[in-house]
Amino acid sequence: MGIIDKKLEHTYFHCYATANDHSLYFQDIQNLIRIKNCDSGCEKILLFIAISEVKKVGLLDRIFIKLIQKMFHKHPSIELKEISFKNNIGRDFSSFESLFFKVKQIAHSDDYIFFQNRSGHGPFQKQWFTDFIKQFERFESIAICGSTINFMDHPNRSLSKNVPHVQTYSFLTKVFYMNMLNDNFPGSKETTKFDIICKGEIALSQFFLEKKYNITCIEWPNEAISNLSEAIMTSDVKKNVTIKHYFYHRKYMRKNIKAIISRNLNGTLIWIQYALKML
């Protein structure tokens, strides 16, 4: 089944990407608890989760899946559609690709799709999904709306500060734009961190910018960015955001000791509760 062209009502998809390199999944548990408890503003969200196999799938991975299935069981506004494992080639970008492949089997081109990876901590505010949509729709010809936009190229490739790209720890788009990629998600086949950034994160935004679409972000709500836009900031904005966000990058959250303690306590509690039920 392919993507249907037109539809009167939207469906809202949430694609979450992680990996099994951290056996106890503390940060994922924290993110998923927030997703569960923080009202998105949407009547219903269809949630898909992909886990990259950094190491062989084991008992703790299977228990994690059961914990998450239970977490969202009979949730009033979130339907957990699937949790799947996939190889680690391409990391988050192959995860996004595999999740989009599942989404497009049931999606319409005008439906909204939100992508988040483990480094995107949140959500921290209610109405997060609908507010991303409002920012996405604020300007014409927006292809991607992220939490933040970086203007810098990878420093090992160039010192250019005119390579705008949405930072892909959290971003929203429409199925229509993802379908333009023709099953060739940028970065999905790369194996080095350098290529994943250059041919994945940067290339994703550049794909649309080169087609004369624009990008926007929550950090700078009054800006629609094109390849002709002047750099608003010449450092990595995700580390030093200035407004109250729905999602924060892990590098920003490293400064928040309270959040780190909360993550570890929540993760530990979830695993202890499971262990007690097994006694």
Side-chain angles (χ1 to χ4, degrees):
M1 180 178 177
I3 295 175
I4 303 170
D5 289 333
K6 292 184 179 180
K7 186 186 178 188
L8 295 178
E9 297 181 355
H10 296 291
T11 302
Y12 307 98
F13 297 94
H14 189 169
C15 292
Y16 183 90
T18 187
N20 70 345
D21 50 338
H22 296 170
S23 298
L24 295 180
Y25 293 92
F26 275 9
Q27 187 55 53
D28 296 300
I29 289 172
Q30 182 80 320
N31 286 340
L32 291 164
I33 287 174
R34 291 189 181 279
I35 291 167
K36 174 191 174 185
N37 294 333
C38 193
D39 180 14
S40 68
C42 300
E43 185 176 350
K44 185 175 183 179
I45 285 179
L46 303 183
L47 175 62
F48 293 79
I49 300 174
I51 305 172
S52 291
E53 294 182 36
V54 177
K55 57 186 178 182
K56 186 177 180 180
V57 175
L59 177 61
L60 291 178
D61 301 305
R62 292 190 287 270
I63 293 175
F64 171 72
I65 289 178
K66 291 181 180 179
L67 291 173
I68 301 310
Q69 289 172 335
K70 182 177 181 181
M71 183 184 297
F72 289 99
H73 181 60
K74 294 185 178 179
H75 192 284
S77 62
I78 300 174
E79 180 182 348
L80 177 59
K81 296 293 289 185
E82 185 176 340
I83 305 176
S84 58
F85 287 93
K86 33 76 66 180
N87 69 57
N88 194 41
I89 295 173
R91 302 186 191 180
D92 289 337
F93 294 97
S94 58
S95 294
F96 290 158
E97 181 180 65
S98 69
L99 293 171
F100 178 64
F101 180 78
K102 298 174 190 298
V103 163
K104 74 175 185 176
Q105 307 305 312
I106 57 174
H108 295 73
S109 63
D110 208 37
D111 290 338
Y112 293 97
I113 179 168
F114 189 88
F115 291 93
Q116 177 187 0
N117 65 24
R118 183 175 63 199
S119 293
H121 293 200
F124 284 89
Q125 297 185 67
K126 295 180 179 180
Q127 313 300 314
W128 59 271
F129 204 118
T130 50
D131 282 357
F132 262 87
I133 292 174
K134 289 177 183 176
Q135 181 62 28
F136 182 90
E137 298 292 354
R138 186 169 183 172
F139 306 100
E140 293 184 0
S141 301
I142 296 295
I144 311 176
C145 173
S147 290
T148 52
I149 289 172
N150 189 3
F151 283 85
M152 300 188 300
D153 197 2
H154 193 292
N156 292 340
R157 183 168 68 174
S158 80
L159 297 178
S160 172
K161 292 180 173 56
N162 192 27
V163 190
H165 56 278
V166 164
Q167 296 180 296
T168 50
Y169 60 94
S170 57
F171 67 96
L172 178 135
T173 183
K174 280 188 172 182
V175 170
F176 169 80
Y177 293 105
M178 291 295 97
N179 195 45
M180 290 174 63
L181 298 174
N182 292 320
D183 297 326
N184 187 25
F185 207 105
S188 64
K189 296 177 177 60
E190 305 306 325
T191 57
T192 68
K193 184 176 181 180
F194 173 83
D195 285 334
I196 284 170
I197 293 173
C198 293
K199 299 180 182 180
E201 178 167 275
I202 295 175
L204 177 62
S205 288
Q206 287 296 312
F207 174 87
F208 296 109
L209 291 170
E210 289 170 2
K211 294 181 181 298
K212 308 304 180 184
Y213 292 103
N214 296 327
I215 57 178
T216 189
C217 68
I218 302 298
E219 175 73 4
W220 300 314
N222 297 320
E223 303 291 340
I225 306 297
S226 73
N227 264 340
L228 299 177
S229 299
E230 293 187 6
I232 298 172
M233 189 171 183
T234 56
S235 60
D236 191 352
V237 64
K238 69 175 182 285
K239 300 178 183 178
N240 298 289
V241 292
T242 59
I243 69 166
K244 193 173 182 180
H245 273 267
Y246 304 97
F247 296 86
Y248 296 90
H249 192 268
R250 61 180 174 81
K251 291 185 178 180
Y252 178 88
M253 295 301 291
R254 284 174 181 170
K255 300 178 288 186
N256 191 328
I257 302 301
K258 182 179 178 180
I260 294 171
I261 293 172
S262 174
R263 175 197 67 192
N264 293 341
L265 286 176
N266 280 334
T268 301
L269 180 61
I270 291 290
W271 285 100
I272 289 175
Q273 288 174 339
Y274 181 85
L276 290 175
K277 289 179 181 179
M278 294 297 101
L279 293 177

